[in-house]
Amino acid sequence: MNYFVHPSGLCESETVGEGTRIWAFAHVLPGARIGTDCNICDHVFIENDVILGDRVTVKCGVQLWDGLRVGDDVFIGPNATFTNDRFPRSKQYPEAFSVTRIEHHASIGANATILPGLTIGQYAMVGAGSVVTHSVPPYAIVVGNPGRIVGYATNHAAVTPEPHAPHMGSSTVTGVRGVQLREFPIFEDMRGALTVGNFAGEVPFAPNRYFMVFAVPSKDVRGEHAHKICEQFLICVRGRVRVVADDGKARQEFLLDGPQRGLYLPAMTWASQYAYSADAVLLVFASHAYDADDYVRDYSAFLALVSEQDKLR
Amino acid sequence: MNYFVHPSGLCESETVGEGTRIWAFAHVLPGARIGTDCNICDHVFIENDVILGDRVTVKCGVQLWDGLRVGDDVFIGPNATFTNDRFPRSKQYPEAFSVTRIEHHASIGANATILPGLTIGQYAMVGAGSVVTHSVPPYAIVVGNPGRIVGYATNHAAVTPEPHAPHMGSSTVTGVRGVQLREFPIFEDMRGALTVGNFAGEVPFAPNRYFMVFAVPSKDVRGEHAHKICEQFLICVRGRVRVVADDGKARQEFLLDGPQRGLYLPAMTWASQYAYSADAVLLVFASHAYDADDYVRDYSAFLALVSEQDKLR
Amino acid sequence: MNYFVHPSGLCESETVGEGTRIWAFAHVLPGARIGTDCNICDHVFIENDVILGDRVTVKCGVQLWDGLRVGDDVFIGPNATFTNDRFPRSKQYPEAFSVTRIEHHASIGANATILPGLTIGQYAMVGAGSVVTHSVPPYAIVVGNPGRIVGYATNHAAVTPEPHAPHMGSSTVTGVRGVQLREFPIFEDMRGALTVGNFAGEVPFAPNRYFMVFAVPSKDVRGEHAHKICEQFLICVRGRVRVVADDGKARQEFLLDGPQRGLYLPAMTWASQYAYSADAVLLVFASHAYDADDYVRDYSAFLALVSEQDKLR
Amino acid sequence: MNYFVHPSGLCESETVGEGTRIWAFAHVLPGARIGTDCNICDHVFIENDVILGDRVTVKCGVQLWDGLRVGDDVFIGPNATFTNDRFPRSKQYPEAFSVTRIEHHASIGANATILPGLTIGQYAMVGAGSVVTHSVPPYAIVVGNPGRIVGYATNHAAVTPEPHAPHMGSSTVTGVRGVQLREFPIFEDMRGALTVGNFAGEVPFAPNRYFMVFAVPSKDVRGEHAHKICEQFLICVRGRVRVVADDGKARQEFLLDGPQRGLYLPAMTWASQYAYSADAVLLVFASHAYDADDYVRDYSAFLALVSEQDKLR
Amino acid sequence: MNYFVHPSGLCESETVGEGTRIWAFAHVLPGARIGTDCNICDHVFIENDVILGDRVTVKCGVQLWDGLRVGDDVFIGPNATFTNDRFPRSKQYPEAFSVTRIEHHASIGANATILPGLTIGQYAMVGAGSVVTHSVPPYAIVVGNPGRIVGYATNHAAVTPEPHAPHMGSSTVTGVRGVQLREFPIFEDMRGALTVGNFAGEVPFAPNRYFMVFAVPSKDVRGEHAHKICEQFLICVRGRVRVVADDGKARQEFLLDGPQRGLYLPAMTWASQYAYSADAVLLVFASHAYDADDYVRDYSAFLALVSEQDKLR
Amino acid sequence: MNYFVHPSGLCESETVGEGTRIWAFAHVLPGARIGTDCNICDHVFIENDVILGDRVTVKCGVQLWDGLRVGDDVFIGPNATFTNDRFPRSKQYPEAFSVTRIEHHASIGANATILPGLTIGQYAMVGAGSVVTHSVPPYAIVVGNPGRIVGYATNHAAVTPEPHAPHMGSSTVTGVRGVQLREFPIFEDMRGALTVGNFAGEVPFAPNRYFMVFAVPSKDVRGEHAHKICEQFLICVRGRVRVVADDGKARQEFLLDGPQRGLYLPAMTWASQYAYSADAVLLVFASHAYDADDYVRDYSAFLALVSEQDKLR
């Protein structure tokens, strides 16, 4: 094969793709499988049970342990550190090492630490110096120790209500197919405030059930799934939460922060909720009864379904 | 007429009902109209433009000023003090004195102060020493300076959830016709808590609309009306609120304090909500679209309607 | 008898003590019993089932209703208002009117309102304009609406720890027989703070049991009793509370506000605790097992016992 | 003299002004001095050491005790209650009774309670049912138990900044002679916010000194004085405070609630500050060094000085 | 000696134990002393004044500086970083480098940073990516930046009270020799709540003294010692704290979070308290007077004493 | 040239200063320029567009990327990690890599992470394990993730007011040329507290303007500049802030935490403000009108000016 190994580098594997370069003091064990056009920098160490896709960059000082699966076009920053044993003790080995998956186009920041057994979703970005303790959803941006989602990579500007806008009934056009942001009027007088929505009118469907999500630790993301036929209408009646809606092509973020603001999600919308305030209560109306088969929980499966439905149109 | 005036009392009015007694050092001006079987105690002073119903008790040291209208069976405690000018200055008189109405069976506590222009509703009770600055709804109990509603006179024991009861799905029978208190299960895991209700099943009707009431100052009462045909289902998703339900005969109070607890109010139920916590958000499902004609806002009219419907049964 | 009635006053009772004066527009019903040297001012009204001791002052505009028992040397300010029915309705009478007792040397402020069925203890003082909703212990000073105890009349200066004094082990001599205020050292380092007390040494007895008082609404007073043989040691481990100790002759107040400060109460000490902060937890060590017979809950009985024991010394 | 006493009234004084009326069951002792055109209603009691001005109204059930001084045009509502002994005990009298002064045009609300030894300033208004525990400044409006200043009677509308107005540099014309309200711009960026004022330009004088007022209990009023030659510039750098400015003819209230808002008070402006928030810090620039002789602390003296200066113009 | 050095590794020391392997691009300086069966991975650097025990694992990218002392069976994760100078400046050296001790069986997580001069106790576990700023006690689990104790490695499940269990008197059997968890009843009424314990009955011994621990920063651990003869009874009267009890063989954790819950620790129990809430007050009853000789503060010495006593049984 | 490369090291550059040592497994690319007496430890990697000053220490496991500029006498701890692309994606390169500057005598802690495009000021110190997300001013000490300034390296002890000292007027001599710390008396009474300063007396100049700084996020530092001729007087009227004053030779830190404490900064004083409390309001009096040319914002320029002025003395 046509790949390059620096004279001071050690490459014991022969499964290395064309155009890949392996630099000085790097060491690749015999079982590793490495794709084409990769860049393996100085002082990198790669064990046997490791698979790298194409066009992967591994910067200096990184070790890739048994159990690591790296997709195409992944970037791994310098001194980023992986693990494969949650409670390591010397000379005591788990039955099987945890598998860490880094999906295509993800980026691992310099000197980040990734705990064992996690998946870093496609296009996700882990900030430099972060310590990642939970799996990272597709497109999510994670920073800090412990790592928290601080945003999502989207392709439409976020919709954040103006703080002191008059609360008029209105509907905002969004960049995501079918998604509507409804603003209901607030009626205030000395007795307090009131807001009203009519089902199958302002709320675009007759609900089959409601549920409420509350007492969510702010570190957590809820949702991260789509429904095949169920429509939903989300209102944050107390506190605030951010919702990212995704139709498979366009992604947009919405801040829900009051009982007068509802977000309509049609079927086949991938949605993530994050940055819950401590007091947040999220009320959701759903158009259909609970049906486990209606959920699409894997983003790749969601993309496949979207693609399939688009062909039928 | 057959009424009694103590030798040391002064009664200049001749419109005094049979059986009424007027005691020592009391003084009734000529224009006052007083019903039957009243008791006007020592040191009372009654001006001209004053009307008293039957069986009214006025204890010692009370003055009834021009503009006071007192219904049947009212009790006015000793030294209770009325007013008819909000910003009195000596020798400056308003164009017309404010009218104060005290509806039948109400009770004004000893040494209470009633600001001008208010209505004290039927069966309401003003605590001793209170300073009443707003009108008082029927049956309400008011105490303090300024006076706040602290309860309602009911004829069934209040339903207050046990603080540490397991959150099981259940339904409580109430003393008010058709009213149900539902308890839904709570599902909790590391991501937070969840509660679900199915419409037309656990919630006894399919909703036509929802509304939310929030930011209610704790001093205020909302509701105080009935619906002719609309049914409602109330959930306090955050904080707490007290609800008094009344079918025209029986009255009962309910504490709503969590997203898993719903109160069903059938049509023709008079309801008052009070003692909102600062953070309360009350979610209401309603069976019908908004219709101003569906509201009964006057308690006497409500009683008349109840009585009419009972005859048809 | 040798007493005075103003020509414009009405006194129908003949049980009136020597030297008592009854003034203009006052009205005393036949059954009332009034002691010697009383002063009954203008516009006072006294019903039948009322007993007044000697040297009582009743200022203008006061009514004394059936059921009122007034001790010697009591002062009742102008327009002070009493009640004898907690939920008065016109023409509906309770089986028996509530009895209100005002013990000797108490003082009721001008325009105060006293709810029915209460006892105002000896030497207690009710502030002008107060609304008294609970019985008032001996010596207590009550103001506000609703009335709250804001202090006690004592004959020794209160002991309030200096806010920034070094926490040294020490023992303060008090003005009350046998009572000791112990200050234990606090040991602080980067890990936190520590305080220690030895039983039967720094704590003057070996405890038989402990109990803790907490979640006390600040309006409430606990204690107000003495023990015949049981000794106690009080520490306010969180928050703050005021304790008044009384040996029957001397009274003194102590502020307990930290885990390093203990108050020893020997047997036969009358103690009151009040002004609990919202977070207060009061820890009490007791020298004896619980014995209902060990409690002296009536202050007069306590004084009698003290007097008896003094004779034996 | 030409005054009226009702046949059931008792007037033992002969110092009663022309046109004054004294009604049934009222009782005036011989030493009282009463002005012209007064109205003394039923059941009023007036002791000897009492002086009333002209055109005073005393409603039913009021007692005026020794030591009361009432100015012209005062209104005293029904059952309002005065006191002259702070710690009354029966048969124990203070060396001298406290003197209570009610200045001209003041109004005492129905059933209010006035503690001993206070002054109620000219045009002040005490709300019905209030319990007044401190002296009340001229024009102040007091309500509650204990009574708190909730406003001032002014003859120009209060200036309250719009909550979300952009902070532009500007100057507001006021209704009080020479007083200016300056709004400075705020410059905000990610590092925080900044506001600037130039002396002898935006601030209308070169300061000789500054002072800061803070930690003011919210119940208290500071200021209540004028300066003869010193000019001042007030900024509430933290929290909020209300300032009433008075040129002797016009009065206006200003809310100061941010570091960008300054109030210029020329010499000979009477100013009161009240409703301090707990965290308020009021910064004052003064044009002159401190001089005790520059202060005018008595409102009547201030009015006299204004009048004198006006003549010189 | 029989040890292995990879052809691309550099080992200048000859004090290397049998079975130890030193891999590619690793570099060991001449003075280092390394035990048997160690594993020194790629890109490791070991200075001269370094001592390693037996069966130590040093993963890739780690440097061991002068002053490091590593016990047997220690695991050091990849890119874990040590320090030996608290305020390093180029070319300025401290008189002596700080000594870092890692006791046997400890585990240092991947990419963790250890500040100079600390001791990591036996079996302790430092989480991946942590920054350790204080010494770590035996068995403690530390994570975060700065590192905080979040748990202890135990061999029995933790005992955490059910949040809404009725407060009944009860006693829980534990996995640690002699340790008991007692649950006392709570008596609540309108005046507050009360809980009582009888000594030598519900509390298993007569106390000689009490002490209270409070104001503990949540980052800190208290305790970490055993008593030779003294028994203790722990109650967290306010807030919450976690206690780990250890008899030398079994270890178990207990959550104390209310005044009705007591933990009995017999003599010869090693105890650690951590995760104090900000408001925690821990009350401890002790069976004996304070005696410095009664404390065992070194865990190894404790294990030796346990073993000795076991032989005598 | 006279420099050393270990036999297992790779140095492709020829621009290496005298006395510099390059150790095993280190790799220097041809374009790098390295000063004299540097120490480049094992496993270091240095790219082409990198410049190092003299006496620089680079500990093991560090990579220096294109765009890094390192001053004289810098220390870079082991495994410290740099970056030059804020949003790295594999095979996507920014138009130009960010430049990171580390000024002379700075110290980068072990395993710290430095985000791209920042400047680390002279003598600054980055703590071990920190993640640095903003530029660091000269002398600042930064720790944590994200990194925050926790202090400044100074050569005089900080001045922190004693918490309970009586507030007497006083002036503290400081270690920085011309800087004065003034303590004004506080006058407290029941109405609140007052503090006063006289211009051109206690405040050492007549102000031309004032400004106020507030709403500063606590992570931020303001100031970091000197004035050529303008004098300033700083008072923290609410909350607290730390100020570091520097005359070019001496540096000292002052805690300002009350309206009675003012810090005088003469012209040509470099000042930094940090650790603002959330509620801090900093009032500054300035002797001159705003003039952009009066600011010296670069610390090196400031040092040059100081040196120039010193020569003129």
Side-chain angles (χ1 to χ4, degrees), chain E residues 94-295:
Chain E
E95 290 195 14
F97 286 111
S98 301
V99 170
T100 298
R101 294 178 195 285
I102 307 179
E103 296 184 351
H104 65 88
H105 289 91
S107 172
I108 308 297
N111 215 12
T113 307
I114 311 296
L115 269 75
L118 306 183
T119 294
I120 311 297
Q122 56 177 269
Y123 287 95
M125 184 162 281
V126 172
S130 304
V131 177
V132 181
T133 59
H134 292 80
S135 287
V136 178
Y139 289 96
I141 302 168
V142 166
V143 304
N145 178 2
R148 292 284 178 259
I149 294 176
V150 295
Y152 279 79
T154 60
N155 50 11
H156 283 81
V159 177
T160 305
E162 293 180 29
H164 304 304
H167 295 306
M168 311 279 283
S170 70
S171 175
T172 303
V173 178
T174 77
V176 185
R177 187 173 55 198
V179 171
Q180 299 169 29
L181 185 65
R182 305 299 304 258
E183 206 63 30
F184 298 102
I186 289 187
F187 306 101
E188 290 181 283
D189 63 20
M190 288 186 60
R191 299 167 306 166
L194 180 82
T195 187
V196 182
N198 290 295
F199 287 116
E202 292 146 348
V203 178
F205 57 87
N208 179 279
R209 64 193 164 110
Y210 72 89
F211 56 91
M212 279 177 270
V213 180
F214 55 97
V216 180
S218 66
K219 72 184 178 195
D220 273 307
V221 171
R222 283 196 75 102
E224 296 283 0
H225 61 248
H227 288 276
K228 291 176 196 159
I229 60 165
C230 186
E231 303 161 73
Q232 295 191 328
F233 194 77
L234 284 63
I235 306 170
C236 191
V237 299
R238 185 85 190 171
R240 49 174 54 205
V241 64
R242 294 181 177 279
V243 181
V244 178
D246 179 348
D247 60 16
K249 299 194 181 86
R251 301 172 61 80
Q252 192 166 16
E253 178 173 312
F254 305 89
L255 173 64
L256 300 184
D257 66 351
Q260 81 291 355
R261 187 166 294 120
L263 183 70
Y264 170 66
L265 302 178
M268 286 304 291
T269 307
W270 183 269
S272 310
Q273 298 123 33
Y274 76 107
Y276 280 86
S277 64
D279 62 344
V281 178
L282 182 67
L283 168 68
V284 182
F285 294 112
S287 64
H288 289 72
Y290 175 78
D291 174 6
D293 289 342
D294 188 52
Y295 282 72

Side-chain angles (χ1 to χ4, degrees), chain B residues 88-99:
Chain B
R89 295 288 189 195
S90 190
K91 304 286 172 182
Q92 298 176 17
Y93 307 104
E95 291 196 12
F97 285 110
S98 301
V99 170

Side-chain angles (χ1 to χ4, degrees), chain A residues 8-10 12 25-27 43-45 47 61-63 65 79-83 86-92 111-113 115 131 145, chain E residues 6 8 21 24-25 37-39 42-43 55-57 59-61 73-75 78-79 105-107 110-111 123-125 128-129 144-145:
Chain A
S8 295
L10 294 174
E12 305 175 34
F25 310 126
H27 187 183
H43 307 108
V44 167
F45 176 77
E47 272 194 311
V62 172
Q63 304 91 25
W65 308 111
N79 289 342
T81 306
F82 297 90
T83 57
R86 189 162 278 266
F87 297 107
R89 295 288 188 195
S90 191
K91 304 287 170 180
Q92 298 177 15
N111 215 12
T113 307
L115 268 74
V131 177
N145 179 0
Chain E
H6 187 282
S8 296
R21 290 161 297 159
F25 311 127
D37 285 319
C38 291
N39 190 17
D42 283 48
H43 307 108
R55 294 172 304 281
V56 172
T57 299
K59 300 292 286 184
C60 297
D73 300 292
V74 164
F75 175 91
N79 290 340
H105 289 91
S107 172
N111 215 12
Y123 287 95
M125 184 162 281
N145 178 2

Side-chain angles (χ1 to χ4, degrees), chain C residues 6 8 21 24-25 37-39 42-43 55-57 59-61 73-75 78-79 105-111 123-125 128-131 144-145 153, chain D residues 8-10 12 24-27 42-45 47 61-63 65 79-83 86-93 111-115 131 145-146:
Chain C
H6 187 281
S8 295
R21 292 161 296 159
F25 310 126
D37 284 320
C38 291
N39 189 16
D42 283 47
H43 306 107
R55 294 172 303 282
V56 172
T57 299
K59 299 292 285 185
C60 297
D73 299 292
V74 164
F75 175 90
N79 288 341
H105 290 93
S107 173
I108 309 297
N111 215 11
Y123 288 95
M125 185 163 280
S130 303
V131 177
N145 178 0
Chain D
S8 296
L10 294 175
E12 305 175 35
F25 310 126
H27 187 182
D42 283 48
H43 307 107
V44 166
F45 175 78
E47 270 192 314
V62 172
Q63 302 91 25
W65 308 110
N79 289 341
T81 304
F82 296 91
T83 56
R86 190 162 277 266
F87 298 106
R89 296 286 189 196
S90 191
K91 304 288 170 179
Q92 298 176 15
Y93 306 105
N111 215 12
T113 307
I114 313 295
L115 269 75
V131 177
N145 178 0

